[in-house]
Amino acid sequence: MSSNRLIRPGPHQSALPRSPIAHIASASITGASTPSPAKMPIQFLIFRTPLIVCEAKYFATIDLLSGYWQTGMTPRAQERSAFCTQRGLYQFKRMPFGLSNAPATFCRLMHRVLRDHLWRICLCYLDDVIVYATSQRELLERLHIILA
């Protein structure tokens, strides 16, 4: 992960590895993170989606490979993502999958990026984008818009 620039050495290299159970317990006791709800609950997607795409006959799906790892973290968040190994203390530079607010943060980011196109030509849930259209030509035009 260090070669991929996802993590970096932490400021205190002499840190001793902690038990994962102790870390989880201390995080839940201290309230280290406040849950951040996703911008749009899944129930809303389930009930509204059929109404929007009922006339669509062609669909294209885009799965953002390692999407979370393409999202940078603030220095404060990097400090809070620290973890110990036998080789020392490390911090994530990019958002890992296991953080409690990672799905909501990534969902908000995707909704911000696609804000002009959501519910008109595409749908988005976490790292999946669905582009829909009534004809093949229209689908290609919409894919060009989304990928441009």
Side-chain angles (χ1 to χ4, degrees), residues 14-143:
S14 62
L16 296 174
R18 273 180 22 181
S19 159
I21 295 171
H23 176 69
I24 293 168
S26 67
S28 62
I29 291 170
T30 60
S33 67
T34 305
S36 175
K39 189 170 189 163
M40 196 171 308
I42 189 68
Q43 293 85 0
F44 181 75
L45 288 171
I46 291 171
F47 293 119
R48 186 169 175 193
T49 302
L51 299 175
I52 291 175
V53 298
C54 64
E55 295 180 12
K57 295 180 183 176
Y58 298 91
F59 299 89
T61 58
I62 303 168
D63 186 9
L64 305 173
L65 182 65
S66 303
Y68 286 66
W69 284 353
Q70 296 180 31
T71 305
M73 294 174 55
T74 64
R76 182 175 176 213
Q78 288 179 13
E79 290 174 10
R80 292 181 175 205
S81 73
F83 60 95
C84 290
T85 68
Q86 292 177 345
R87 295 183 180 191
L89 181 71
Y90 291 91
Q91 298 174 346
F92 278 98
K93 293 170 55 177
R94 300 292 187 177
M95 186 169 51
F97 290 97
L99 294 181
S100 62
N101 289 333
T105 301
F106 191 75
C107 189
R108 278 194 304 272
L109 173 66
M110 289 305 300
H111 282 245
R112 188 176 300 154
V113 169
L114 296 171
R115 70 179 169 270
D116 295 335
H117 309 298
L118 281 176
W119 302 105
R120 290 183 331 133
I121 65 173
C122 70
L123 301 173
C124 178
Y125 183 70
L126 295 177
D127 66 341
D128 297 315
V129 179
I130 302 171
V131 183
Y132 54 90
T134 55
S135 68
Q136 288 181 351
R137 182 182 201 98
E138 184 182 28
L139 181 64
L140 291 174
E141 290 171 1
R142 290 180 173 193
L143 282 170

